[in-house]
mmCIF file of all heavy atoms in Angstrom:
data_model
loop_
_atom_site.group_PDB
_atom_site.id
_atom_site.type_symbol
_atom_site.label_atom_id
_atom_site.label_comp_id
_atom_site.label_asym_id
_atom_site.label_seq_id
_atom_site.Cartn_x
_atom_site.Cartn_y
_atom_site.Cartn_z
ATOM 1 N N TYR A 360 -11.738 4.868 -19.503
ATOM 2 C CA TYR A 360 -11.052 5.832 -18.635
ATOM 3 C C TYR A 360 -9.531 5.727 -18.743
ATOM 4 O O TYR A 360 -8.836 5.680 -17.722
ATOM 5 C CB TYR A 360 -11.483 5.618 -17.180
ATOM 6 C CG TYR A 360 -12.972 5.669 -16.977
ATOM 7 C CD1 TYR A 360 -13.717 4.508 -16.804
ATOM 8 C CD2 TYR A 360 -13.639 6.896 -16.965
ATOM 9 C CE1 TYR A 360 -15.097 4.561 -16.623
ATOM 10 C CE2 TYR A 360 -15.014 6.956 -16.781
ATOM 11 C CZ TYR A 360 -15.732 5.787 -16.613
ATOM 12 O OH TYR A 360 -17.086 5.850 -16.440
ATOM 13 N N PRO A 361 -8.971 5.717 -19.947
ATOM 14 C CA PRO A 361 -7.526 5.479 -20.071
ATOM 15 C C PRO A 361 -6.646 6.529 -19.395
ATOM 16 O O PRO A 361 -5.549 6.204 -18.941
ATOM 17 C CB PRO A 361 -7.302 5.462 -21.587
ATOM 18 C CG PRO A 361 -8.422 6.276 -22.141
ATOM 19 C CD PRO A 361 -9.598 6.017 -21.227
ATOM 20 N N ASP A 362 -7.122 7.768 -19.292
ATOM 21 C CA ASP A 362 -6.312 8.826 -18.680
ATOM 22 C C ASP A 362 -6.235 8.717 -17.171
ATOM 23 O O ASP A 362 -5.423 9.399 -16.541
ATOM 24 C CB ASP A 362 -6.870 10.199 -19.063
ATOM 25 C CG ASP A 362 -6.747 10.471 -20.552
ATOM 26 O OD1 ASP A 362 -5.924 9.809 -21.212
ATOM 27 O OD2 ASP A 362 -7.474 11.347 -21.055
ATOM 28 N N LYS A 363 -7.078 7.876 -16.587
ATOM 29 C CA LYS A 363 -7.093 7.717 -15.132
ATOM 30 C C LYS A 363 -6.295 6.500 -14.665
ATOM 31 O O LYS A 363 -6.069 6.342 -13.474
ATOM 32 C CB LYS A 363 -8.535 7.521 -14.635
ATOM 33 C CG LYS A 363 -9.451 8.694 -14.834
ATOM 34 C CD LYS A 363 -10.816 8.356 -14.253
ATOM 35 C CE LYS A 363 -11.809 9.487 -14.392
ATOM 36 N NZ LYS A 363 -13.081 9.164 -13.710
ATOM 37 N N VAL A 364 -5.896 5.620 -15.593
ATOM 38 C CA VAL A 364 -5.349 4.304 -15.231
ATOM 39 C C VAL A 364 -3.826 4.300 -15.185
ATOM 40 O O VAL A 364 -3.160 4.775 -16.102
ATOM 41 C CB VAL A 364 -5.832 3.215 -16.205
ATOM 42 C CG1 VAL A 364 -5.228 1.852 -15.855
ATOM 43 C CG2 VAL A 364 -7.355 3.134 -16.211
ATOM 44 N N VAL A 365 -3.306 3.749 -14.077
ATOM 45 C CA VAL A 365 -1.885 3.435 -13.956
ATOM 46 C C VAL A 365 -1.819 1.931 -13.746
ATOM 47 O O VAL A 365 -2.399 1.401 -12.795
ATOM 48 C CB VAL A 365 -1.236 4.166 -12.755
ATOM 49 C CG1 VAL A 365 0.173 3.645 -12.514
ATOM 50 C CG2 VAL A 365 -1.245 5.656 -12.975
ATOM 51 N N GLU A 366 -1.148 1.241 -14.651
ATOM 52 C CA GLU A 366 -1.001 -0.212 -14.549
ATOM 53 C C GLU A 366 0.386 -0.529 -14.000
ATOM 54 O O GLU A 366 1.390 -0.075 -14.544
ATOM 55 C CB GLU A 366 -1.188 -0.876 -15.915
ATOM 56 C CG GLU A 366 -1.097 -2.378 -15.879
ATOM 57 C CD GLU A 366 -1.353 -3.020 -17.235
ATOM 58 O OE1 GLU A 366 -1.581 -2.300 -18.225
ATOM 59 O OE2 GLU A 366 -1.308 -4.248 -17.303
ATOM 60 N N LEU A 367 0.404 -1.288 -12.906
ATOM 61 C CA LEU A 367 1.660 -1.696 -12.278
ATOM 62 C C LEU A 367 1.732 -3.211 -12.333
ATOM 63 O O LEU A 367 0.769 -3.892 -11.965
ATOM 64 C CB LEU A 367 1.718 -1.185 -10.839
ATOM 65 C CG LEU A 367 1.540 0.339 -10.678
ATOM 66 C CD1 LEU A 367 1.438 0.714 -9.211
ATOM 67 C CD2 LEU A 367 2.656 1.092 -11.365
ATOM 68 N N LYS A 368 2.875 -3.748 -12.782
ATOM 69 C CA LYS A 368 2.955 -5.182 -13.071
ATOM 70 C C LYS A 368 3.773 -5.997 -12.087
ATOM 71 O O LYS A 368 3.875 -7.209 -12.227
ATOM 72 C CB LYS A 368 3.494 -5.385 -14.488
ATOM 73 C CG LYS A 368 2.559 -4.805 -15.531
ATOM 74 C CD LYS A 368 3.037 -5.090 -16.928
ATOM 75 C CE LYS A 368 2.037 -4.532 -17.925
ATOM 76 N NZ LYS A 368 2.419 -4.856 -19.282
ATOM 77 N N ASN A 369 4.355 -5.342 -11.077
ATOM 78 C CA ASN A 369 5.120 -6.078 -10.072
ATOM 79 C C ASN A 369 5.391 -5.173 -8.872
ATOM 80 O O ASN A 369 5.092 -3.981 -8.903
ATOM 81 C CB ASN A 369 6.426 -6.630 -10.665
ATOM 82 C CG ASN A 369 7.283 -5.554 -11.282
ATOM 83 O OD1 ASN A 369 7.601 -4.547 -10.653
ATOM 84 N ND2 ASN A 369 7.653 -5.747 -12.545
ATOM 85 N N ARG A 370 5.956 -5.744 -7.839
ATOM 86 C CA ARG A 370 6.206 -4.993 -6.608
ATOM 87 C C ARG A 370 7.201 -3.841 -6.818
ATOM 88 O O ARG A 370 7.074 -2.790 -6.198
ATOM 89 C CB ARG A 370 6.735 -5.927 -5.511
ATOM 90 C CG ARG A 370 5.746 -6.989 -5.075
ATOM 91 C CD ARG A 370 5.234 -6.712 -3.695
ATOM 92 N NE ARG A 370 4.533 -7.871 -3.159
ATOM 93 C CZ ARG A 370 3.219 -8.017 -3.195
ATOM 94 N NH1 ARG A 370 2.464 -7.101 -3.736
ATOM 95 N NH2 ARG A 370 2.656 -9.091 -2.681
ATOM 96 N N LYS A 371 8.190 -4.021 -7.688
ATOM 97 C CA LYS A 371 9.159 -2.954 -7.945
ATOM 98 C C LYS A 371 8.465 -1.739 -8.549
ATOM 99 O O LYS A 371 8.770 -0.601 -8.183
ATOM 100 C CB LYS A 371 10.277 -3.443 -8.873
ATOM 101 C CG LYS A 371 11.291 -4.312 -8.188
ATOM 102 C CD LYS A 371 12.416 -4.674 -9.116
ATOM 103 C CE LYS A 371 13.399 -5.565 -8.369
ATOM 104 N NZ LYS A 371 14.522 -5.957 -9.213
ATOM 105 N N GLU A 372 7.525 -1.978 -9.460
ATOM 106 C CA GLU A 372 6.789 -0.862 -10.050
ATOM 107 C C GLU A 372 5.915 -0.168 -9.006
ATOM 108 O O GLU A 372 5.767 1.057 -9.036
ATOM 109 C CB GLU A 372 5.946 -1.331 -11.235
ATOM 110 C CG GLU A 372 6.771 -1.697 -12.450
ATOM 111 C CD GLU A 372 5.945 -2.051 -13.670
ATOM 112 O OE1 GLU A 372 4.705 -1.870 -13.662
ATOM 113 O OE2 GLU A 372 6.539 -2.519 -14.662
ATOM 114 N N VAL A 373 5.355 -0.931 -8.079
ATOM 115 C CA VAL A 373 4.557 -0.340 -6.998
ATOM 116 C C VAL A 373 5.448 0.552 -6.137
ATOM 117 O O VAL A 373 5.073 1.679 -5.805
ATOM 118 C CB VAL A 373 3.865 -1.437 -6.149
ATOM 119 C CG1 VAL A 373 3.242 -0.844 -4.886
ATOM 120 C CG2 VAL A 373 2.812 -2.184 -6.967
#
Side-chain angles (χ1 to χ4, degrees):
Y360 305 103
D362 295 340
K363 295 182 179 185
V364 178
V365 171
E366 182 177 1
L367 304 173
K368 297 184 178 183
N369 56 53
R370 296 251 193 263
K371 283 184 181 180
E372 289 185 9
V373 170

